[in-house]
Amino acid sequence: MRDGSEQEAPASTRWAWAAAGGLVVAVGTAYFLLPLEGLGGDRAWLGWPLFALCLGLLAALLLRQVRDVVLEKPHTRSGVMIPLLMCLAVLVFSSGYYALAQRPGQFTGLRTRVDALYFTVVTLATVGYGDITPSGQEARLVAVAQILYTFVFLTAAATALSRRLHVVVAARDRRPPPS
């Protein structure tokens, strides 16, 4: 039973979170099921434009969310959309690394989709354990692209998300308790 000090989130917010969670699960499942092997090797002509298109679309959507936070647009779902888009960016880079690993000489130690996801997160976190290394020129270019993408888009998105959460918490603190 609630003691009155906690407020329940509106139904629309709960649905937005549920939809975002469902989308992350669906895209994560697709990551493990889609035939990504077909985008590496002989079909690089298809993989590169698809990779660039996905990253460009995600960058545009992230920047839109950042703009909405900076302009303090009401009734936006930035708190839901930004984490969702960040997760999608991780999966796009993971997919790119996995497809690229199908080409001989591009990676040392990257054999599975889990390896690709792990390498993406390790690179994003700037940990760099050294167990998986990009050894080919294309793999190194994608790693550099991920680092730059993180600096520009994901950092801006994380900053905007932090700002949005700060505003929401401050507004909640100013609200009178329910009677």
Side-chain angles (χ1 to χ4, degrees), residues 42-171:
D42 297 337
R43 293 200 183 136
W45 58 270
L46 177 61
W48 284 113
L50 187 59
F51 179 71
L53 178 68
C54 289
L55 286 180
L57 179 62
L58 285 171
L61 292 171
L62 280 166
L63 289 176
R64 182 174 181 214
Q65 293 301 315
V66 169
R67 180 201 65 194
D68 289 351
V69 169
V70 169
L71 296 177
E72 297 180 3
K73 288 194 169 187
H75 309 296
T76 61
R77 298 275 182 236
S78 299
V80 175
M81 290 301 297
I82 290 174
L84 173 65
L85 293 169
M86 292 172 87
C87 289
L88 291 174
V90 166
L91 290 176
V92 168
F93 275 105
S94 295
S95 299
Y97 288 134
Y98 181 71
L100 199 52
Q102 305 309 306
R103 299 182 64 192
Q106 290 299 318
F107 278 97
T108 302
L110 197 156
R111 292 183 233 16
T112 67
R113 292 173 198 245
V114 173
D115 289 343
L117 184 58
Y118 163 80
F119 178 73
T120 303
V121 173
V122 166
T123 302
L124 177 67
T126 68
V127 174
Y129 293 120
D131 52 344
I132 298 175
T133 55
S135 45
Q137 295 302 299
E138 290 173 275
R140 289 177 177 176
L141 281 173
V142 174
V144 167
Q146 181 190 348
I147 293 165
L148 293 174
Y149 195 91
T150 298
F151 282 157
V152 175
F153 300 108
L154 298 186
T155 301
T159 302
L161 179 61
S162 175
R163 180 177 175 173
R164 175 74 180 134
L165 292 176
H166 178 73
V167 168
V168 167
V169 168

